[in-house]
Amino acid sequence: MMMLIVDTPFYEIFQMRQINEYVTYHYLKEAKQYYPNFDIWYYQNVIPAVKNGDKKIITIENKNTLKGICIVKLSEKKLCTLRVMENYRNKGIGIRLFEKSFEALNTRMPLLSVSEEKLLSFKKIFDYYGFKLTSIKENYYRKGKKEYFYNEPERVT
């Protein structure tokens, strides 16, 4: 069992509760098609990092129905993954997840990346928040595919 932050829509407060890491994985596993090492990353990186406090899992749910979920990495101010369940898309859940992520990361410009196939799905919300495209990396996660990075810190040369 692991701890996660849950956004309770009726009361708009954070509360802590226990959730099974396998249940959380079930809702995120579609990311495997864009990130081939997703399973390894989730079980060997995310779960230990949630337990040691470097990562948080944020959910939006209502009456035990998960509407959206994201993972943030506190030390890098990074939004690692975000998913709104299909039946709840275009209903403001994504905006709420971004807002809760900003609170957890203490920034409105988190580091994040998106695969070329998902870029169109996120472009509207990235534009809404004024996220800055800072690099495009070919073959970063998958051969022959581009990954678009936003809000990377400026490098000192």
Side-chain angles (χ1 to χ4, degrees):
M1 298 297 238
M2 64 181 175
M3 301 298 286
L4 79 136
I5 297 176
V6 177
D7 177 19
T8 308
F10 296 117
Y11 307 109
E12 290 299 326
I13 58 169
F14 279 137
Q15 65 183 21
M16 297 298 283
R17 72 174 179 87
Q18 299 234 331
I19 188 168
N20 184 302
E21 61 203 41
Y22 302 104
V23 171
T24 305
Y25 169 83
H26 170 75
Y27 287 102
L28 294 172
K29 69 182 177 188
E30 96 169 11
K32 292 193 310 187
Q33 63 188 310
Y34 307 107
Y35 303 100
N37 294 321
F38 182 81
D39 290 354
I40 294 167
W41 173 77
Y42 181 79
Y43 286 109
Q44 293 182 9
N45 181 308
V46 173
I47 299 306
V50 168
K51 290 176 181 176
N52 76 25
D54 188 38
K55 287 191 173 141
K56 289 185 179 179
I57 298 175
I58 302 169
T59 66
I60 294 181
E61 56 186 272
N62 181 358
K63 298 180 183 174
N64 294 322
T65 300
L66 187 64
K67 294 180 176 184
I69 186 169
C70 68
I71 299 172
V72 296
K73 184 174 185 180
L74 303 176
S75 63
E76 290 184 34
K77 296 190 180 286
K78 181 178 183 181
L79 200 162
C80 301
T81 191
L82 181 143
R83 179 161 187 247
V84 174
M85 303 315 126
E86 195 168 333
N87 292 343
Y88 300 101
R89 292 181 184 156
N90 300 311
K91 296 181 180 180
I93 301 299
I95 293 283
R96 289 177 62 199
L97 279 172
F98 272 97
E99 291 293 329
K100 296 303 178 184
S101 296
F102 298 162
E103 287 176 30
L105 295 170
N106 198 29
T107 184
R108 295 193 68 77
M109 291 289 173
L111 170 63
L112 56 87
S113 72
V114 64
S115 65
E116 63 182 41
E117 297 95 338
K118 299 299 272 183
L119 183 61
L120 230 47
S121 301
F122 283 96
K123 184 166 178 14
K124 185 177 174 183
I125 200 164
F126 290 175
D127 290 347
Y128 175 81
Y129 282 115
F131 291 171
K132 305 290 183 228
L133 177 63
T134 49
S135 66
I136 302 169
K137 299 176 184 174
E138 184 93 29
N139 304 318
Y140 193 78
Y141 290 111
R142 294 175 295 145
K143 187 174 175 74
K145 298 294 181 180
K146 294 176 184 167
E147 189 76 9
Y148 291 78
F149 287 79
Y150 288 81
N151 305 326
E152 293 172 294
E154 292 183 27
R155 293 185 177 194
V156 179
T157 55

mmCIF file of all heavy atoms in Angstrom, residues 6-14 58-62 67-68 70 82 84 91-103 125 128-129:
data_model
loop_
_atom_site.group_PDB
_atom_site.id
_atom_site.type_symbol
_atom_site.label_atom_id
_atom_site.label_comp_id
_atom_site.label_asym_id
_atom_site.label_seq_id
_atom_site.Cartn_x
_atom_site.Cartn_y
_atom_site.Cartn_z
ATOM 1 N N VAL A 6 -5.453 12.825 -2.631
ATOM 2 C CA VAL A 6 -6.730 12.691 -3.318
ATOM 3 C C VAL A 6 -7.438 14.033 -3.264
ATOM 4 O O VAL A 6 -7.539 14.640 -2.211
ATOM 5 C CB VAL A 6 -7.619 11.623 -2.643
ATOM 6 C CG1 VAL A 6 -8.959 11.548 -3.329
ATOM 7 C CG2 VAL A 6 -6.924 10.287 -2.646
ATOM 8 N N ASP A 7 -7.925 14.481 -4.393
ATOM 9 C CA ASP A 7 -8.714 15.705 -4.434
ATOM 10 C C ASP A 7 -10.175 15.294 -4.315
ATOM 11 O O ASP A 7 -10.694 14.609 -5.175
ATOM 12 C CB ASP A 7 -8.469 16.422 -5.761
ATOM 13 C CG ASP A 7 -9.322 17.661 -5.903
ATOM 14 O OD1 ASP A 7 -9.811 18.164 -4.884
ATOM 15 O OD2 ASP A 7 -9.494 18.112 -7.038
ATOM 16 N N THR A 8 -10.807 15.699 -3.251
ATOM 17 C CA THR A 8 -12.203 15.354 -3.023
ATOM 18 C C THR A 8 -13.070 16.486 -3.562
ATOM 19 O O THR A 8 -13.103 17.564 -2.993
ATOM 20 C CB THR A 8 -12.469 15.164 -1.507
ATOM 21 O OG1 THR A 8 -11.513 14.254 -1.001
ATOM 22 C CG2 THR A 8 -13.866 14.645 -1.265
ATOM 23 N N PRO A 9 -13.757 16.263 -4.697
ATOM 24 C CA PRO A 9 -14.479 17.350 -5.364
ATOM 25 C C PRO A 9 -15.506 18.075 -4.501
ATOM 26 O O PRO A 9 -15.619 19.276 -4.596
ATOM 27 C CB PRO A 9 -15.168 16.661 -6.534
ATOM 28 C CG PRO A 9 -14.395 15.416 -6.761
ATOM 29 C CD PRO A 9 -13.856 15.021 -5.415
ATOM 30 N N PHE A 10 -16.240 17.382 -3.646
ATOM 31 C CA PHE A 10 -17.298 18.029 -2.886
ATOM 32 C C PHE A 10 -16.762 18.979 -1.825
ATOM 33 O O PHE A 10 -17.367 19.965 -1.510
ATOM 34 C CB PHE A 10 -18.211 16.989 -2.228
ATOM 35 C CG PHE A 10 -18.935 16.154 -3.238
ATOM 36 C CD1 PHE A 10 -18.720 14.798 -3.309
ATOM 37 C CD2 PHE A 10 -19.810 16.725 -4.137
ATOM 38 C CE1 PHE A 10 -19.377 14.023 -4.247
ATOM 39 C CE2 PHE A 10 -20.479 15.961 -5.084
ATOM 40 C CZ PHE A 10 -20.256 14.611 -5.133
ATOM 41 N N TYR A 11 -15.627 18.681 -1.278
ATOM 42 C CA TYR A 11 -15.104 19.491 -0.191
ATOM 43 C C TYR A 11 -13.888 20.311 -0.614
ATOM 44 O O TYR A 11 -13.465 21.197 0.091
ATOM 45 C CB TYR A 11 -14.714 18.598 0.986
ATOM 46 C CG TYR A 11 -15.840 17.699 1.404
ATOM 47 C CD1 TYR A 11 -15.782 16.334 1.163
ATOM 48 C CD2 TYR A 11 -16.970 18.215 2.010
ATOM 49 C CE1 TYR A 11 -16.835 15.503 1.529
ATOM 50 C CE2 TYR A 11 -18.021 17.389 2.380
ATOM 51 C CZ TYR A 11 -17.944 16.044 2.135
ATOM 52 O OH TYR A 11 -18.974 15.217 2.486
ATOM 53 N N GLU A 12 -13.334 20.013 -1.796
ATOM 54 C CA GLU A 12 -12.163 20.711 -2.312
ATOM 55 C C GLU A 12 -11.027 20.760 -1.278
ATOM 56 O O GLU A 12 -10.412 21.796 -1.057
ATOM 57 C CB GLU A 12 -12.522 22.134 -2.758
ATOM 58 C CG GLU A 12 -13.377 22.170 -3.982
ATOM 59 C CD GLU A 12 -12.727 21.552 -5.220
ATOM 60 O OE1 GLU A 12 -11.508 21.674 -5.365
ATOM 61 O OE2 GLU A 12 -13.452 20.918 -6.005
ATOM 62 N N ILE A 13 -10.780 19.635 -0.652
ATOM 63 C CA ILE A 13 -9.657 19.541 0.273
ATOM 64 C C ILE A 13 -8.830 18.329 -0.100
ATOM 65 O O ILE A 13 -9.314 17.405 -0.739
ATOM 66 C CB ILE A 13 -10.113 19.405 1.744
ATOM 67 C CG1 ILE A 13 -10.994 18.164 1.916
ATOM 68 C CG2 ILE A 13 -10.827 20.665 2.194
ATOM 69 C CD1 ILE A 13 -11.253 17.815 3.356
ATOM 70 N N PHE A 14 -7.572 18.363 0.280
ATOM 71 C CA PHE A 14 -6.729 17.185 0.123
ATOM 72 C C PHE A 14 -6.947 16.297 1.336
ATOM 73 O O PHE A 14 -7.073 16.767 2.455
ATOM 74 C CB PHE A 14 -5.247 17.564 0.088
ATOM 75 C CG PHE A 14 -4.773 18.061 -1.229
ATOM 76 C CD1 PHE A 14 -3.939 19.151 -1.290
ATOM 77 C CD2 PHE A 14 -5.137 17.445 -2.416
ATOM 78 C CE1 PHE A 14 -3.471 19.616 -2.501
ATOM 79 C CE2 PHE A 14 -4.676 17.898 -3.629
ATOM 80 C CZ PHE A 14 -3.838 18.987 -3.672
ATOM 81 N N ILE A 58 -1.388 12.179 -7.472
ATOM 82 C CA ILE A 58 -2.544 13.041 -7.224
ATOM 83 C C ILE A 58 -3.717 12.483 -8.024
ATOM 84 O O ILE A 58 -3.558 12.151 -9.197
ATOM 85 C CB ILE A 58 -2.247 14.488 -7.638
ATOM 86 C CG1 ILE A 58 -1.036 15.015 -6.867
ATOM 87 C CG2 ILE A 58 -3.474 15.378 -7.435
ATOM 88 C CD1 ILE A 58 -0.504 16.334 -7.380
ATOM 89 N N THR A 59 -4.854 12.362 -7.395
ATOM 90 C CA THR A 59 -6.035 11.858 -8.089
ATOM 91 C C THR A 59 -7.202 12.818 -7.921
ATOM 92 O O THR A 59 -7.254 13.590 -6.972
ATOM 93 C CB THR A 59 -6.485 10.474 -7.567
ATOM 94 O OG1 THR A 59 -6.918 10.605 -6.224
ATOM 95 C CG2 THR A 59 -5.392 9.447 -7.673
ATOM 96 N N ILE A 60 -8.119 12.724 -8.845
ATOM 97 C CA ILE A 60 -9.422 13.374 -8.718
ATOM 98 C C ILE A 60 -10.437 12.256 -8.863
ATOM 99 O O ILE A 60 -10.399 11.495 -9.842
ATOM 100 C CB ILE A 60 -9.626 14.460 -9.778
ATOM 101 C CG1 ILE A 60 -8.634 15.589 -9.519
ATOM 102 C CG2 ILE A 60 -11.077 14.963 -9.760
ATOM 103 C CD1 ILE A 60 -8.721 16.740 -10.474
ATOM 104 N N GLU A 61 -11.261 12.134 -7.865
ATOM 105 C CA GLU A 61 -12.263 11.075 -7.892
ATOM 106 C C GLU A 61 -13.528 11.545 -7.214
ATOM 107 O O GLU A 61 -13.534 12.558 -6.526
ATOM 108 C CB GLU A 61 -11.733 9.793 -7.270
ATOM 109 C CG GLU A 61 -11.211 9.925 -5.860
ATOM 110 C CD GLU A 61 -10.566 8.641 -5.380
ATOM 111 O OE1 GLU A 61 -11.315 7.804 -4.846
ATOM 112 O OE2 GLU A 61 -9.359 8.490 -5.542
ATOM 113 N N ASN A 62 -14.597 10.800 -7.442
ATOM 114 C CA ASN A 62 -15.896 11.105 -6.868
ATOM 115 C C ASN A 62 -16.563 9.777 -6.546
ATOM 116 O O ASN A 62 -16.732 8.945 -7.438
ATOM 117 C CB ASN A 62 -16.716 11.906 -7.883
ATOM 118 C CG ASN A 62 -18.074 12.297 -7.362
ATOM 119 O OD1 ASN A 62 -18.456 11.942 -6.248
ATOM 120 N ND2 ASN A 62 -18.822 13.026 -8.162
ATOM 121 N N LYS A 67 -11.397 9.724 -11.744
ATOM 122 C CA LYS A 67 -11.628 10.544 -12.937
ATOM 123 C C LYS A 67 -10.319 10.963 -13.594
ATOM 124 O O LYS A 67 -10.258 11.138 -14.806
ATOM 125 C CB LYS A 67 -12.434 11.785 -12.568
ATOM 126 C CG LYS A 67 -13.842 11.469 -12.104
ATOM 127 C CD LYS A 67 -14.572 12.747 -11.770
ATOM 128 C CE LYS A 67 -16.015 12.469 -11.404
ATOM 129 N NZ LYS A 67 -16.757 13.708 -11.165
ATOM 130 N N GLY A 68 -9.282 11.143 -12.781
ATOM 131 C CA GLY A 68 -7.994 11.571 -13.307
ATOM 132 C C GLY A 68 -6.886 11.285 -12.324
ATOM 133 O O GLY A 68 -7.128 11.191 -11.116
ATOM 134 N N CYS A 70 -2.368 11.853 -11.773
ATOM 135 C CA CYS A 70 -1.065 12.296 -12.256
ATOM 136 C C CYS A 70 0.002 11.982 -11.218
ATOM 137 O O CYS A 70 -0.290 11.751 -10.041
ATOM 138 C CB CYS A 70 -1.074 13.768 -12.640
ATOM 139 S SG CYS A 70 -1.279 14.913 -11.293
ATOM 140 N N LEU A 82 0.191 12.244 -16.634
ATOM 141 C CA LEU A 82 -1.146 12.729 -16.318
ATOM 142 C C LEU A 82 -2.127 12.017 -17.231
ATOM 143 O O LEU A 82 -1.879 11.881 -18.422
ATOM 144 C CB LEU A 82 -1.216 14.244 -16.547
ATOM 145 C CG LEU A 82 -2.548 14.923 -16.228
ATOM 146 C CD1 LEU A 82 -2.304 16.296 -15.635
ATOM 147 C CD2 LEU A 82 -3.441 15.027 -17.445
ATOM 148 N N VAL A 84 -6.514 11.582 -17.777
ATOM 149 C CA VAL A 84 -7.922 11.759 -17.448
ATOM 150 C C VAL A 84 -8.646 10.564 -18.059
ATOM 151 O O VAL A 84 -8.441 10.237 -19.232
ATOM 152 C CB VAL A 84 -8.471 13.084 -18.018
ATOM 153 C CG1 VAL A 84 -9.973 13.189 -17.784
ATOM 154 C CG2 VAL A 84 -7.740 14.270 -17.388
ATOM 155 N N LYS A 91 -14.129 17.847 -19.375
ATOM 156 C CA LYS A 91 -15.042 18.250 -18.299
ATOM 157 C C LYS A 91 -14.303 18.999 -17.188
ATOM 158 O O LYS A 91 -14.796 19.092 -16.068
ATOM 159 C CB LYS A 91 -15.752 17.020 -17.725
ATOM 160 C CG LYS A 91 -16.646 16.349 -18.761
ATOM 161 C CD LYS A 91 -17.360 15.161 -18.213
ATOM 162 C CE LYS A 91 -18.214 14.571 -19.342
ATOM 163 N NZ LYS A 91 -18.962 13.422 -18.964
ATOM 164 N N GLY A 92 -13.085 19.470 -17.485
ATOM 165 C CA GLY A 92 -12.327 20.251 -16.508
ATOM 166 C C GLY A 92 -11.435 19.444 -15.586
ATOM 167 O O GLY A 92 -10.745 20.013 -14.745
ATOM 168 N N ILE A 93 -11.431 18.131 -15.716
ATOM 169 C CA ILE A 93 -10.615 17.290 -14.831
ATOM 170 C C ILE A 93 -9.121 17.532 -15.082
ATOM 171 O O ILE A 93 -8.335 17.633 -14.142
ATOM 172 C CB ILE A 93 -10.959 15.790 -15.014
ATOM 173 C CG1 ILE A 93 -12.445 15.538 -14.716
ATOM 174 C CG2 ILE A 93 -10.059 14.908 -14.156
ATOM 175 C CD1 ILE A 93 -12.894 15.879 -13.329
ATOM 176 N N GLY A 94 -8.744 17.664 -16.350
ATOM 177 C CA GLY A 94 -7.336 17.934 -16.676
ATOM 178 C C GLY A 94 -6.851 19.229 -16.062
ATOM 179 O O GLY A 94 -5.766 19.287 -15.476
ATOM 180 N N ILE A 95 -7.669 20.269 -16.155
ATOM 181 C CA ILE A 95 -7.321 21.572 -15.556
ATOM 182 C C ILE A 95 -7.134 21.401 -14.051
ATOM 183 O O ILE A 95 -6.168 21.916 -13.477
ATOM 184 C CB ILE A 95 -8.417 22.620 -15.841
ATOM 185 C CG1 ILE A 95 -8.483 22.940 -17.334
ATOM 186 C CG2 ILE A 95 -8.216 23.880 -15.008
ATOM 187 C CD1 ILE A 95 -7.418 23.844 -17.863
ATOM 188 N N ARG A 96 -8.032 20.698 -13.406
ATOM 189 C CA ARG A 96 -7.921 20.498 -11.947
ATOM 190 C C ARG A 96 -6.666 19.721 -11.595
ATOM 191 O O ARG A 96 -6.003 20.022 -10.604
ATOM 192 C CB ARG A 96 -9.167 19.803 -11.414
ATOM 193 C CG ARG A 96 -10.372 20.761 -11.454
ATOM 194 C CD ARG A 96 -11.654 20.148 -11.029
ATOM 195 N NE ARG A 96 -11.596 19.694 -9.655
ATOM 196 C CZ ARG A 96 -12.442 18.806 -9.150
ATOM 197 N NH1 ARG A 96 -13.408 18.301 -9.885
ATOM 198 N NH2 ARG A 96 -12.342 18.437 -7.899
ATOM 199 N N LEU A 97 -6.325 18.702 -12.412
ATOM 200 C CA LEU A 97 -5.091 17.955 -12.154
ATOM 201 C C LEU A 97 -3.868 18.856 -12.309
ATOM 202 O O LEU A 97 -2.940 18.796 -11.494
ATOM 203 C CB LEU A 97 -4.972 16.749 -13.089
ATOM 204 C CG LEU A 97 -5.754 15.519 -12.706
ATOM 205 C CD1 LEU A 97 -5.695 14.477 -13.826
ATOM 206 C CD2 LEU A 97 -5.245 14.916 -11.402
ATOM 207 N N PHE A 98 -3.848 19.671 -13.349
ATOM 208 C CA PHE A 98 -2.725 20.598 -13.516
ATOM 209 C C PHE A 98 -2.641 21.543 -12.326
ATOM 210 O O PHE A 98 -1.556 21.769 -11.783
ATOM 211 C CB PHE A 98 -2.856 21.398 -14.823
ATOM 212 C CG PHE A 98 -2.249 20.711 -16.010
ATOM 213 C CD1 PHE A 98 -3.037 19.979 -16.874
ATOM 214 C CD2 PHE A 98 -0.885 20.791 -16.263
ATOM 215 C CE1 PHE A 98 -2.491 19.341 -17.978
ATOM 216 C CE2 PHE A 98 -0.318 20.155 -17.357
ATOM 217 C CZ PHE A 98 -1.123 19.424 -18.217
ATOM 218 N N GLU A 99 -3.763 22.093 -11.900
ATOM 219 C CA GLU A 99 -3.765 23.034 -10.767
ATOM 220 C C GLU A 99 -3.248 22.368 -9.490
ATOM 221 O O GLU A 99 -2.460 22.953 -8.749
ATOM 222 C CB GLU A 99 -5.165 23.623 -10.556
ATOM 223 C CG GLU A 99 -5.619 24.552 -11.652
ATOM 224 C CD GLU A 99 -4.828 25.855 -11.733
ATOM 225 O OE1 GLU A 99 -4.346 26.350 -10.691
ATOM 226 O OE2 GLU A 99 -4.705 26.395 -12.855
ATOM 227 N N LYS A 100 -3.696 21.142 -9.220
ATOM 228 C CA LYS A 100 -3.223 20.427 -8.027
ATOM 229 C C LYS A 100 -1.739 20.083 -8.151
ATOM 230 O O LYS A 100 -1.005 20.105 -7.168
ATOM 231 C CB LYS A 100 -4.057 19.168 -7.777
ATOM 232 C CG LYS A 100 -5.513 19.448 -7.459
ATOM 233 C CD LYS A 100 -5.666 20.354 -6.250
ATOM 234 C CE LYS A 100 -7.108 20.672 -5.973
ATOM 235 N NZ LYS A 100 -7.248 21.618 -4.855
ATOM 236 N N SER A 101 -1.295 19.794 -9.376
ATOM 237 C CA SER A 101 0.133 19.537 -9.607
ATOM 238 C C SER A 101 0.951 20.794 -9.322
ATOM 239 O O SER A 101 2.010 20.724 -8.703
ATOM 240 C CB SER A 101 0.377 19.083 -11.048
ATOM 241 O OG SER A 101 -0.252 17.859 -11.289
ATOM 242 N N PHE A 102 0.445 21.940 -9.795
ATOM 243 C CA PHE A 102 1.151 23.199 -9.546
ATOM 244 C C PHE A 102 1.298 23.454 -8.049
ATOM 245 O O PHE A 102 2.355 23.890 -7.591
ATOM 246 C CB PHE A 102 0.399 24.380 -10.170
ATOM 247 C CG PHE A 102 0.244 24.328 -11.667
ATOM 248 C CD1 PHE A 102 -0.718 25.109 -12.280
ATOM 249 C CD2 PHE A 102 1.031 23.516 -12.472
ATOM 250 C CE1 PHE A 102 -0.884 25.100 -13.660
ATOM 251 C CE2 PHE A 102 0.872 23.481 -13.852
ATOM 252 C CZ PHE A 102 -0.087 24.288 -14.449
ATOM 253 N N GLU A 103 0.239 23.167 -7.300
ATOM 254 C CA GLU A 103 0.301 23.345 -5.848
ATOM 255 C C GLU A 103 1.355 22.432 -5.231
ATOM 256 O O GLU A 103 2.158 22.868 -4.411
ATOM 257 C CB GLU A 103 -1.058 23.037 -5.211
ATOM 258 C CG GLU A 103 -2.112 24.082 -5.463
ATOM 259 C CD GLU A 103 -3.467 23.672 -4.887
ATOM 260 O OE1 GLU A 103 -3.503 22.946 -3.863
ATOM 261 O OE2 GLU A 103 -4.490 24.083 -5.473
ATOM 262 N N ILE A 125 -4.182 22.816 -23.723
ATOM 263 C CA ILE A 125 -3.955 23.096 -22.294
ATOM 264 C C ILE A 125 -2.566 23.693 -22.068
ATOM 265 O O ILE A 125 -2.385 24.561 -21.227
ATOM 266 C CB ILE A 125 -4.224 21.852 -21.416
ATOM 267 C CG1 ILE A 125 -4.471 22.267 -19.971
ATOM 268 C CG2 ILE A 125 -3.093 20.846 -21.507
ATOM 269 C CD1 ILE A 125 -5.116 21.208 -19.119
ATOM 270 N N TYR A 128 -2.950 27.243 -22.980
ATOM 271 C CA TYR A 128 -3.744 27.899 -21.937
ATOM 272 C C TYR A 128 -2.847 28.355 -20.779
ATOM 273 O O TYR A 128 -2.996 29.462 -20.268
ATOM 274 C CB TYR A 128 -4.820 26.937 -21.435
ATOM 275 C CG TYR A 128 -5.630 27.438 -20.271
ATOM 276 C CD1 TYR A 128 -6.697 28.315 -20.462
ATOM 277 C CD2 TYR A 128 -5.350 27.018 -18.977
ATOM 278 C CE1 TYR A 128 -7.447 28.772 -19.397
ATOM 279 C CE2 TYR A 128 -6.094 27.469 -17.898
ATOM 280 C CZ TYR A 128 -7.134 28.344 -18.106
ATOM 281 O OH TYR A 128 -7.872 28.797 -17.043
ATOM 282 N N TYR A 129 -1.906 27.498 -20.392
ATOM 283 C CA TYR A 129 -1.020 27.832 -19.275
ATOM 284 C C TYR A 129 0.239 28.583 -19.709
ATOM 285 O O TYR A 129 1.019 28.996 -18.864
ATOM 286 C CB TYR A 129 -0.628 26.563 -18.515
ATOM 287 C CG TYR A 129 -1.735 26.080 -17.604
ATOM 288 C CD1 TYR A 129 -2.358 24.871 -17.836
ATOM 289 C CD2 TYR A 129 -2.152 26.844 -16.526
ATOM 290 C CE1 TYR A 129 -3.371 24.426 -16.997
ATOM 291 C CE2 TYR A 129 -3.174 26.418 -15.689
ATOM 292 C CZ TYR A 129 -3.769 25.210 -15.937
ATOM 293 O OH TYR A 129 -4.780 24.779 -15.114
#
